[in-house]
Amino acid sequence: MKRVGFWAIGIGLVVTVGLFTMEQGYADEKDHARECTLATLKGRYLFADSGTLLPPAFGVTEPTPGTDAGFHIFNGDGTGTDTVTLRINGVIVVENFVTPVSYTVNADCTGTVTVPNGPSFGIFIAPNGEAIASIATDPGNYVSDIARRVSRK
């Protein structure tokens, strides 16, 4: 009986120490959270979305299905390019269209992407830069997606 009691105490101590260690490691990780910068976004990110365009986006006059796919290339300095194919109501309206973009990044890993004379997006960046969640901020534009980095170049 004494052996069982010692084993129980030993196991209890190991579990208790393990729990304290795990909690302390988690707290330490939160205390040293990484901040984002323009350089956090660097490389090629694939994206694809579908949804309903609402007027006045892209000149539609009624709710219209839209899909797009392509990739962002961010240069790590607030500039980049997008290559995109866009289909509206089943018709491809642009194919492999390349356009410059500019972007901002805040320390809290939020920011914006802007296409000159085109749509704007609010972005939410993974602290390691591996993924970006975005949402269109222009009236009628349906887009929200998660783009994943597939290359650092």
Side-chain angles (χ1 to χ4, degrees):
M1 186 71 153
K2 287 182 181 179
R3 262 190 183 165
V4 173
F6 284 125
W7 274 102
I9 290 171
I11 290 172
L13 284 172
V14 168
V15 169
T16 302
V17 170
L19 289 175
F20 281 129
T21 303
M22 285 176 38
E23 183 62 31
Q24 187 176 22
Y26 178 72
D28 187 44
E29 183 179 317
K30 286 185 76 171
D31 290 342
H32 295 94
R34 182 173 169 191
E35 291 186 353
C36 289
T37 67
L38 288 174
T40 304
L41 289 183
K42 184 160 177 60
R44 180 182 299 240
Y45 295 76
L46 293 178
F47 65 87
D49 351 86
S50 64
T52 301
L53 292 166
L54 301 173
F58 296 98
V60 300
T61 57
E62 61 186 43
T64 306
T67 58
D68 65 85
F71 56 86
H72 310 287
I73 296 178
F74 295 111
N75 298 324
D77 62 2
T79 66
T81 57
D82 275 3
T83 300
V84 64
T85 295
L86 172 66
R87 183 182 354 210
I88 298 176
N89 205 18
V91 177
I92 293 178
V93 293
V94 294
E95 188 169 7
N96 296 326
F97 180 73
V98 179
T99 185
V101 298
S102 61
Y103 65 94
T104 64
V105 175
N106 302 315
D108 66 357
C109 298
T110 62
T112 61
V113 172
T114 303
V115 178
N117 301 312
S120 296
F121 304 88
I123 59 173
F124 306 88
I125 307 158
N128 64 3
E130 292 299 316
I132 311 159
S134 66
I135 186 163
T137 55
D138 299 312
N141 199 338
Y142 67 88
V143 178
S144 67
D145 74 352
I146 296 180
R148 303 221 184 274
R149 180 163 42 200
V150 295
S151 169
R152 293 188 183 275
K153 296 180 182 185

